[in-house]
Amino acid sequence: MATVHRARISPLLPPTEWTLEDGELLERRGGRVRRFPLSDLRRLTIAEGLARADFARGRARIPARSFVSGLRLERHDDTFIALTEALAAQATDAAPQVRLGQARPQAGEMVVWTIALCGAGAVAVLGAAGLIGAWALGLALAARLVFVLILAVAALPWIAPGRRITRN
C-alpha cells in the first residue's frame, strides 16, 4: 500500500502530493511528476513540520502545513508523520549510506552566537583602529556593533527555551 501526503505549498500553486511506493518517492504537482529512487537518497532530515530528502539528482522538501484558503494554514500531521516514518524506514533498507540529519540549532543558541560575534567584532574594530591611530573612526564603528549586540541581548529573554527554528 502506498503512503500519501498532500499539501499546498503556496496559495498560487496547485496542491502537491508525495507518494511513497515501490522504492520511489513520487512528487506530483499539477501535471508535473518527479521521481526519486530511494536507493539514491543521500541525506534525510526531519524537523518540526518539514522533511528534507537530498537525493543524488535533486531535493524534495515535504511540509506538514498546507494553505487552505487565502493565507490560512492547516497542519496535516497525521499523513506527514506516516509518510516520514515510512520514508525513513524504507530509506534505511534501500540506501544504507543515508545520513540522518541533525536537529536544527535552537533560536537562543543562534542569538548567543550573534552576541559573541558582535562583541568580538567591536573589540577587533576598536583595536585595529587604535593601531592606525584612528580612534574616532574605530569608536564610531565599534559603537554600531555594540548597538546590534544590545538589541540581541534585549531580544534574548523573549526567545522560548528549547524552541527550534523552522522554515514554515
Side-chain angles (χ1 to χ4, degrees), residues 20 22-25 36-42 55 86-87 90-91 94-95 97-98:
L20 189 60
D22 299 329
E24 283 188 328
L25 178 67
F36 299 104
L38 292 182
S39 59
D40 290 344
L41 186 62
R42 300 287 182 245
F55 293 90
L87 180 62
Q90 288 185 24
Q97 80 279 4
V98 69

mmCIF file with all atom_site columns, all heavy atoms in Angstrom, residues 20 22-25 36-42 55 86-87 90-91 94-95 97-98:
data_model
loop_
_atom_site.group_PDB
_atom_site.id
_atom_site.type_symbol
_atom_site.label_atom_id
_atom_site.label_alt_id
_atom_site.label_comp_id
_atom_site.label_asym_id
_atom_site.label_entity_id
_atom_site.label_seq_id
_atom_site.pdbx_PDB_ins_code
_atom_site.Cartn_x
_atom_site.Cartn_y
_atom_site.Cartn_z
_atom_site.occupancy
_atom_site.B_iso_or_equiv
_atom_site.pdbx_formal_charge
_atom_site.auth_seq_id
_atom_site.auth_comp_id
_atom_site.auth_asym_id
_atom_site.auth_atom_id
_atom_site.pdbx_PDB_model_num
ATOM 1   N N   . LEU A 1 20 ? 4.841  7.451  -1.569 1.00 0.00 ? 20 LEU A N   1
ATOM 2   C CA  . LEU A 1 20 ? 5.953  6.529  -1.367 1.00 0.00 ? 20 LEU A CA  1
ATOM 3   C C   . LEU A 1 20 ? 5.478  5.145  -1.781 1.00 0.00 ? 20 LEU A C   1
ATOM 4   O O   . LEU A 1 20 ? 4.631  4.539  -1.133 1.00 0.00 ? 20 LEU A O   1
ATOM 5   C CB  . LEU A 1 20 ? 6.379  6.532  0.102  1.00 0.00 ? 20 LEU A CB  1
ATOM 6   C CG  . LEU A 1 20 ? 7.635  5.794  0.465  1.00 0.00 ? 20 LEU A CG  1
ATOM 7   C CD1 . LEU A 1 20 ? 8.824  6.375  -0.284 1.00 0.00 ? 20 LEU A CD1 1
ATOM 8   C CD2 . LEU A 1 20 ? 7.866  5.860  1.950  1.00 0.00 ? 20 LEU A CD2 1
ATOM 9   N N   . ASP A 1 22 ? 6.888  1.424  -4.069 1.00 0.00 ? 22 ASP A N   1
ATOM 10  C CA  . ASP A 1 22 ? 7.838  0.613  -4.840 1.00 0.00 ? 22 ASP A CA  1
ATOM 11  C C   . ASP A 1 22 ? 9.258  1.180  -4.819 1.00 0.00 ? 22 ASP A C   1
ATOM 12  O O   . ASP A 1 22 ? 9.940  1.229  -5.836 1.00 0.00 ? 22 ASP A O   1
ATOM 13  C CB  . ASP A 1 22 ? 7.371  0.474  -6.298 1.00 0.00 ? 22 ASP A CB  1
ATOM 14  C CG  . ASP A 1 22 ? 6.030  -0.216 -6.402 1.00 0.00 ? 22 ASP A CG  1
ATOM 15  O OD1 . ASP A 1 22 ? 5.739  -1.068 -5.534 1.00 0.00 ? 22 ASP A OD1 1
ATOM 16  O OD2 . ASP A 1 22 ? 5.276  0.089  -7.337 1.00 0.00 ? 22 ASP A OD2 1
ATOM 17  N N   . GLY A 1 23 ? 9.721  1.622  -3.656 1.00 0.00 ? 23 GLY A N   1
ATOM 18  C CA  . GLY A 1 23 ? 11.091 2.107  -3.543 1.00 0.00 ? 23 GLY A CA  1
ATOM 19  C C   . GLY A 1 23 ? 11.335 3.448  -4.190 1.00 0.00 ? 23 GLY A C   1
ATOM 20  O O   . GLY A 1 23 ? 12.476 3.799  -4.468 1.00 0.00 ? 23 GLY A O   1
ATOM 21  N N   . GLU A 1 24 ? 10.276 4.215  -4.439 1.00 0.00 ? 24 GLU A N   1
ATOM 22  C CA  . GLU A 1 24 ? 10.406 5.546  -5.041 1.00 0.00 ? 24 GLU A CA  1
ATOM 23  C C   . GLU A 1 24 ? 9.538  6.539  -4.281 1.00 0.00 ? 24 GLU A C   1
ATOM 24  O O   . GLU A 1 24 ? 8.473  6.198  -3.776 1.00 0.00 ? 24 GLU A O   1
ATOM 25  C CB  . GLU A 1 24 ? 9.955  5.552  -6.495 1.00 0.00 ? 24 GLU A CB  1
ATOM 26  C CG  . GLU A 1 24 ? 10.928 4.959  -7.456 1.00 0.00 ? 24 GLU A CG  1
ATOM 27  C CD  . GLU A 1 24 ? 10.484 5.169  -8.894 1.00 0.00 ? 24 GLU A CD  1
ATOM 28  O OE1 . GLU A 1 24 ? 9.277  5.201  -9.157 1.00 0.00 ? 24 GLU A OE1 1
ATOM 29  O OE2 . GLU A 1 24 ? 11.369 5.329  -9.734 1.00 0.00 ? 24 GLU A OE2 1
ATOM 30  N N   . LEU A 1 25 ? 10.025 7.766  -4.229 1.00 0.00 ? 25 LEU A N   1
ATOM 31  C CA  . LEU A 1 25 ? 9.229  8.871  -3.721 1.00 0.00 ? 25 LEU A CA  1
ATOM 32  C C   . LEU A 1 25 ? 8.770  9.671  -4.934 1.00 0.00 ? 25 LEU A C   1
ATOM 33  O O   . LEU A 1 25 ? 9.583  10.180 -5.701 1.00 0.00 ? 25 LEU A O   1
ATOM 34  C CB  . LEU A 1 25 ? 10.060 9.762  -2.784 1.00 0.00 ? 25 LEU A CB  1
ATOM 35  C CG  . LEU A 1 25 ? 9.349  10.984 -2.223 1.00 0.00 ? 25 LEU A CG  1
ATOM 36  C CD1 . LEU A 1 25 ? 8.231  10.574 -1.273 1.00 0.00 ? 25 LEU A CD1 1
ATOM 37  C CD2 . LEU A 1 25 ? 10.334 11.887 -1.515 1.00 0.00 ? 25 LEU A CD2 1
ATOM 38  N N   . PHE A 1 36 ? 11.949 10.081 -7.365 1.00 0.00 ? 36 PHE A N   1
ATOM 39  C CA  . PHE A 1 36 ? 13.197 9.979  -6.622 1.00 0.00 ? 36 PHE A CA  1
ATOM 40  C C   . PHE A 1 36 ? 13.366 8.542  -6.140 1.00 0.00 ? 36 PHE A C   1
ATOM 41  O O   . PHE A 1 36 ? 12.654 8.114  -5.227 1.00 0.00 ? 36 PHE A O   1
ATOM 42  C CB  . PHE A 1 36 ? 13.194 10.915 -5.407 1.00 0.00 ? 36 PHE A CB  1
ATOM 43  C CG  . PHE A 1 36 ? 13.044 12.364 -5.737 1.00 0.00 ? 36 PHE A CG  1
ATOM 44  C CD1 . PHE A 1 36 ? 11.840 13.015 -5.540 1.00 0.00 ? 36 PHE A CD1 1
ATOM 45  C CD2 . PHE A 1 36 ? 14.116 13.090 -6.228 1.00 0.00 ? 36 PHE A CD2 1
ATOM 46  C CE1 . PHE A 1 36 ? 11.704 14.355 -5.818 1.00 0.00 ? 36 PHE A CE1 1
ATOM 47  C CE2 . PHE A 1 36 ? 13.987 14.432 -6.524 1.00 0.00 ? 36 PHE A CE2 1
ATOM 48  C CZ  . PHE A 1 36 ? 12.783 15.070 -6.316 1.00 0.00 ? 36 PHE A CZ  1
ATOM 49  N N   . PRO A 1 37 ? 14.294 7.776  -6.716 1.00 0.00 ? 37 PRO A N   1
ATOM 50  C CA  . PRO A 1 37 ? 14.537 6.420  -6.210 1.00 0.00 ? 37 PRO A CA  1
ATOM 51  C C   . PRO A 1 37 ? 15.182 6.481  -4.828 1.00 0.00 ? 37 PRO A C   1
ATOM 52  O O   . PRO A 1 37 ? 16.118 7.252  -4.602 1.00 0.00 ? 37 PRO A O   1
ATOM 53  C CB  . PRO A 1 37 ? 15.488 5.800  -7.227 1.00 0.00 ? 37 PRO A CB  1
ATOM 54  C CG  . PRO A 1 37 ? 15.701 6.808  -8.288 1.00 0.00 ? 37 PRO A CG  1
ATOM 55  C CD  . PRO A 1 37 ? 15.068 8.082  -7.896 1.00 0.00 ? 37 PRO A CD  1
ATOM 56  N N   . LEU A 1 38 ? 14.684 5.684  -3.907 1.00 0.00 ? 38 LEU A N   1
ATOM 57  C CA  . LEU A 1 38 ? 15.208 5.701  -2.543 1.00 0.00 ? 38 LEU A CA  1
ATOM 58  C C   . LEU A 1 38 ? 16.648 5.197  -2.472 1.00 0.00 ? 38 LEU A C   1
ATOM 59  O O   . LEU A 1 38 ? 17.366 5.513  -1.535 1.00 0.00 ? 38 LEU A O   1
ATOM 60  C CB  . LEU A 1 38 ? 14.319 4.869  -1.626 1.00 0.00 ? 38 LEU A CB  1
ATOM 61  C CG  . LEU A 1 38 ? 12.920 5.424  -1.377 1.00 0.00 ? 38 LEU A CG  1
ATOM 62  C CD1 . LEU A 1 38 ? 12.159 4.542  -0.415 1.00 0.00 ? 38 LEU A CD1 1
ATOM 63  C CD2 . LEU A 1 38 ? 12.983 6.845  -0.865 1.00 0.00 ? 38 LEU A CD2 1
ATOM 64  N N   . SER A 1 39 ? 17.085 4.453  -3.476 1.00 0.00 ? 39 SER A N   1
ATOM 65  C CA  . SER A 1 39 ? 18.467 3.978  -3.485 1.00 0.00 ? 39 SER A CA  1
ATOM 66  C C   . SER A 1 39 ? 19.453 5.131  -3.705 1.00 0.00 ? 39 SER A C   1
ATOM 67  O O   . SER A 1 39 ? 20.631 5.015  -3.382 1.00 0.00 ? 39 SER A O   1
ATOM 68  C CB  . SER A 1 39 ? 18.667 2.912  -4.554 1.00 0.00 ? 39 SER A CB  1
ATOM 69  O OG  . SER A 1 39 ? 18.335 3.436  -5.824 1.00 0.00 ? 39 SER A OG  1
ATOM 70  N N   . ASP A 1 40 ? 18.975 6.274  -4.248 1.00 0.00 ? 40 ASP A N   1
ATOM 71  C CA  . ASP A 1 40 ? 19.822 7.450  -4.468 1.00 0.00 ? 40 ASP A CA  1
ATOM 72  C C   . ASP A 1 40 ? 19.774 8.441  -3.319 1.00 0.00 ? 40 ASP A C   1
ATOM 73  O O   . ASP A 1 40 ? 20.376 9.510  -3.404 1.00 0.00 ? 40 ASP A O   1
ATOM 74  C CB  . ASP A 1 40 ? 19.391 8.184  -5.747 1.00 0.00 ? 40 ASP A CB  1
ATOM 75  C CG  . ASP A 1 40 ? 19.722 7.393  -7.001 1.00 0.00 ? 40 ASP A CG  1
ATOM 76  O OD1 . ASP A 1 40 ? 20.528 6.453  -6.901 1.00 0.00 ? 40 ASP A OD1 1
ATOM 77  O OD2 . ASP A 1 40 ? 19.174 7.735  -8.068 1.00 0.00 ? 40 ASP A OD2 1
ATOM 78  N N   . LEU A 1 41 ? 19.064 8.107  -2.232 1.00 0.00 ? 41 LEU A N   1
ATOM 79  C CA  . LEU A 1 41 ? 18.925 9.024  -1.108 1.00 0.00 ? 41 LEU A CA  1
ATOM 80  C C   . LEU A 1 41 ? 20.259 9.190  -0.395 1.00 0.00 ? 41 LEU A C   1
ATOM 81  O O   . LEU A 1 41 ? 20.911 8.221  -0.032 1.00 0.00 ? 41 LEU A O   1
ATOM 82  C CB  . LEU A 1 41 ? 17.864 8.515  -0.133 1.00 0.00 ? 41 LEU A CB  1
ATOM 83  C CG  . LEU A 1 41 ? 17.496 9.434  1.021  1.00 0.00 ? 41 LEU A CG  1
ATOM 84  C CD1 . LEU A 1 41 ? 16.896 10.730 0.503  1.00 0.00 ? 41 LEU A CD1 1
ATOM 85  C CD2 . LEU A 1 41 ? 16.514 8.743  1.943  1.00 0.00 ? 41 LEU A CD2 1
ATOM 86  N N   . ARG A 1 42 ? 20.675 10.448 -0.209 1.00 0.00 ? 42 ARG A N   1
ATOM 87  C CA  . ARG A 1 42 ? 21.948 10.748 0.449  1.00 0.00 ? 42 ARG A CA  1
ATOM 88  C C   . ARG A 1 42 ? 21.749 11.197 1.890  1.00 0.00 ? 42 ARG A C   1
ATOM 89  O O   . ARG A 1 42 ? 22.495 10.828 2.769  1.00 0.00 ? 42 ARG A O   1
ATOM 90  C CB  . ARG A 1 42 ? 22.692 11.865 -0.298 1.00 0.00 ? 42 ARG A CB  1
ATOM 91  C CG  . ARG A 1 42 ? 23.003 11.528 -1.731 1.00 0.00 ? 42 ARG A CG  1
ATOM 92  C CD  . ARG A 1 42 ? 24.120 10.499 -1.804 1.00 0.00 ? 42 ARG A CD  1
ATOM 93  N NE  . ARG A 1 42 ? 24.445 10.220 -3.194 1.00 0.00 ? 42 ARG A NE  1
ATOM 94  C CZ  . ARG A 1 42 ? 24.265 9.046  -3.760 1.00 0.00 ? 42 ARG A CZ  1
ATOM 95  N NH1 . ARG A 1 42 ? 23.777 8.057  -3.100 1.00 0.00 ? 42 ARG A NH1 1
ATOM 96  N NH2 . ARG A 1 42 ? 24.584 8.872  -5.022 1.00 0.00 ? 42 ARG A NH2 1
ATOM 97  N N   . PHE A 1 55 ? 18.632 13.809 -2.602 1.00 0.00 ? 55 PHE A N   1
ATOM 98  C CA  . PHE A 1 55 ? 18.926 12.680 -3.477 1.00 0.00 ? 55 PHE A CA  1
ATOM 99  C C   . PHE A 1 55 ? 20.125 13.029 -4.354 1.00 0.00 ? 55 PHE A C   1
ATOM 100 O O   . PHE A 1 55 ? 20.580 14.174 -4.380 1.00 0.00 ? 55 PHE A O   1
ATOM 101 C CB  . PHE A 1 55 ? 17.714 12.361 -4.353 1.00 0.00 ? 55 PHE A CB  1
ATOM 102 C CG  . PHE A 1 55 ? 16.541 11.834 -3.583 1.00 0.00 ? 55 PHE A CG  1
ATOM 103 C CD1 . PHE A 1 55 ? 15.587 12.692 -3.080 1.00 0.00 ? 55 PHE A CD1 1
ATOM 104 C CD2 . PHE A 1 55 ? 16.392 10.476 -3.365 1.00 0.00 ? 55 PHE A CD2 1
ATOM 105 C CE1 . PHE A 1 55 ? 14.509 12.215 -2.364 1.00 0.00 ? 55 PHE A CE1 1
ATOM 106 C CE2 . PHE A 1 55 ? 15.318 9.991  -2.652 1.00 0.00 ? 55 PHE A CE2 1
ATOM 107 C CZ  . PHE A 1 55 ? 14.369 10.865 -2.153 1.00 0.00 ? 55 PHE A CZ  1
ATOM 108 N N   . ALA A 1 86 ? 7.494  6.148  7.168  1.00 0.00 ? 86 ALA A N   1
ATOM 109 C CA  . ALA A 1 86 ? 7.668  5.145  6.116  1.00 0.00 ? 86 ALA A CA  1
ATOM 110 C C   . ALA A 1 86 ? 8.895  5.455  5.260  1.00 0.00 ? 86 ALA A C   1
ATOM 111 O O   . ALA A 1 86 ? 9.638  4.547  4.869  1.00 0.00 ? 86 ALA A O   1
ATOM 112 C CB  . ALA A 1 86 ? 6.412  5.083  5.252  1.00 0.00 ? 86 ALA A CB  1
ATOM 113 N N   . LEU A 1 87 ? 9.125  6.733  4.983  1.00 0.00 ? 87 LEU A N   1
ATOM 114 C CA  . LEU A 1 87 ? 10.294 7.132  4.195  1.00 0.00 ? 87 LEU A CA  1
ATOM 115 C C   . LEU A 1 87 ? 11.586 6.780  4.928  1.00 0.00 ? 87 LEU A C   1
ATOM 116 O O   . LEU A 1 87 ? 12.520 6.242  4.331  1.00 0.00 ? 87 LEU A O   1
ATOM 117 C CB  . LEU A 1 87 ? 10.235 8.629  3.898  1.00 0.00 ? 87 LEU A CB  1
ATOM 118 C CG  . LEU A 1 87 ? 11.375 9.230  3.086  1.00 0.00 ? 87 LEU A CG  1
ATOM 119 C CD1 . LEU A 1 87 ? 11.441 8.602  1.702  1.00 0.00 ? 87 LEU A CD1 1
ATOM 120 C CD2 . LEU A 1 87 ? 11.196 10.736 2.967  1.00 0.00 ? 87 LEU A CD2 1
ATOM 121 N N   . GLN A 1 90 ? 11.968 2.832  4.913  1.00 0.00 ? 90 GLN A N   1
ATOM 122 C CA  . GLN A 1 90 ? 12.343 2.284  3.614  1.00 0.00 ? 90 GLN A CA  1
ATOM 123 C C   . GLN A 1 90 ? 13.697 2.798  3.147  1.00 0.00 ? 90 GLN A C   1
ATOM 124 O O   . GLN A 1 90 ? 14.422 2.095  2.445  1.00 0.00 ? 90 GLN A O   1
ATOM 125 C CB  . GLN A 1 90 ? 11.275 2.617  2.570  1.00 0.00 ? 90 GLN A CB  1
ATOM 126 C CG  . GLN A 1 90 ? 9.989  1.841  2.759  1.00 0.00 ? 90 GLN A CG  1
ATOM 127 C CD  . GLN A 1 90 ? 9.000  2.103  1.635  1.00 0.00 ? 90 GLN A CD  1
ATOM 128 O OE1 . GLN A 1 90 ? 9.383  2.476  0.533  1.00 0.00 ? 90 GLN A OE1 1
ATOM 129 N NE2 . GLN A 1 90 ? 7.729  1.906  1.915  1.00 0.00 ? 90 GLN A NE2 1
ATOM 130 N N   . ALA A 1 91 ? 14.049 4.018  3.543  1.00 0.00 ? 91 ALA A N   1
ATOM 131 C CA  . ALA A 1 91 ? 15.330 4.585  3.120  1.00 0.00 ? 91 ALA A CA  1
ATOM 132 C C   . ALA A 1 91 ? 16.499 3.833  3.742  1.00 0.00 ? 91 ALA A C   1
ATOM 133 O O   . ALA A 1 91 ? 17.527 3.641  3.090  1.00 0.00 ? 91 ALA A O   1
ATOM 134 C CB  . ALA A 1 91 ? 15.403 6.059  3.485  1.00 0.00 ? 91 ALA A CB  1
ATOM 135 N N   . ALA A 1 94 ? 16.785 0.658  1.604  1.00 0.00 ? 94 ALA A N   1
ATOM 136 C CA  . ALA A 1 94 ? 17.165 0.861  0.198  1.00 0.00 ? 94 ALA A CA  1
ATOM 137 C C   . ALA A 1 94 ? 18.520 1.541  0.036  1.00 0.00 ? 94 ALA A C   1
ATOM 138 O O   . ALA A 1 94 ? 19.221 1.282  -0.937 1.00 0.00 ? 94 ALA A O   1
ATOM 139 C CB  . ALA A 1 94 ? 16.090 1.673  -0.524 1.00 0.00 ? 94 ALA A CB  1
ATOM 140 N N   . ALA A 1 95 ? 18.869 2.415  0.965  1.00 0.00 ? 95 ALA A N   1
ATOM 141 C CA  . ALA A 1 95 ? 20.123 3.177  0.851  1.00 0.00 ? 95 ALA A CA  1
ATOM 142 C C   . ALA A 1 95 ? 20.857 3.126  2.186  1.00 0.00 ? 95 ALA A C   1
ATOM 143 O O   . ALA A 1 95 ? 20.640 3.968  3.052  1.00 0.00 ? 95 ALA A O   1
ATOM 144 C CB  . ALA A 1 95 ? 19.829 4.622  0.459  1.00 0.00 ? 95 ALA A CB  1
ATOM 145 N N   . GLN A 1 97 ? 23.740 3.988  2.879  1.00 0.00 ? 97 GLN A N   1
ATOM 146 C CA  . GLN A 1 97 ? 24.639 5.121  3.046  1.00 0.00 ? 97 GLN A CA  1
ATOM 147 C C   . GLN A 1 97 ? 23.906 6.387  3.500  1.00 0.00 ? 97 GLN A C   1
ATOM 148 O O   . GLN A 1 97 ? 24.546 7.410  3.711  1.00 0.00 ? 97 GLN A O   1
ATOM 149 C CB  . GLN A 1 97 ? 25.393 5.408  1.739  1.00 0.00 ? 97 GLN A CB  1
ATOM 150 C CG  . GLN A 1 97 ? 24.589 6.200  0.703  1.00 0.00 ? 97 GLN A CG  1
ATOM 151 C CD  . GLN A 1 97 ? 23.623 5.356  -0.115 1.00 0.00 ? 97 GLN A CD  1
ATOM 152 O OE1 . GLN A 1 97 ? 23.478 4.168  0.113  1.00 0.00 ? 97 GLN A OE1 1
ATOM 153 N NE2 . GLN A 1 97 ? 22.953 5.978  -1.071 1.00 0.00 ? 97 GLN A NE2 1
ATOM 154 N N   . VAL A 1 98 ? 22.599 6.339  3.661  1.00 0.00 ? 98 VAL A N   1
ATOM 155 C CA  . VAL A 1 98 ? 21.824 7.526  4.010  1.00 0.00 ? 98 VAL A CA  1
ATOM 156 C C   . VAL A 1 98 ? 22.230 8.033  5.388  1.00 0.00 ? 98 VAL A C   1
ATOM 157 O O   . VAL A 1 98 ? 22.512 7.267  6.298  1.00 0.00 ? 98 VAL A O   1
ATOM 158 C CB  . VAL A 1 98 ? 20.304 7.233  3.957  1.00 0.00 ? 98 VAL A CB  1
ATOM 159 C CG1 . VAL A 1 98 ? 19.858 6.297  5.050  1.00 0.00 ? 98 VAL A CG1 1
ATOM 160 C CG2 . VAL A 1 98 ? 19.512 8.522  4.013  1.00 0.00 ? 98 VAL A CG2 1
#
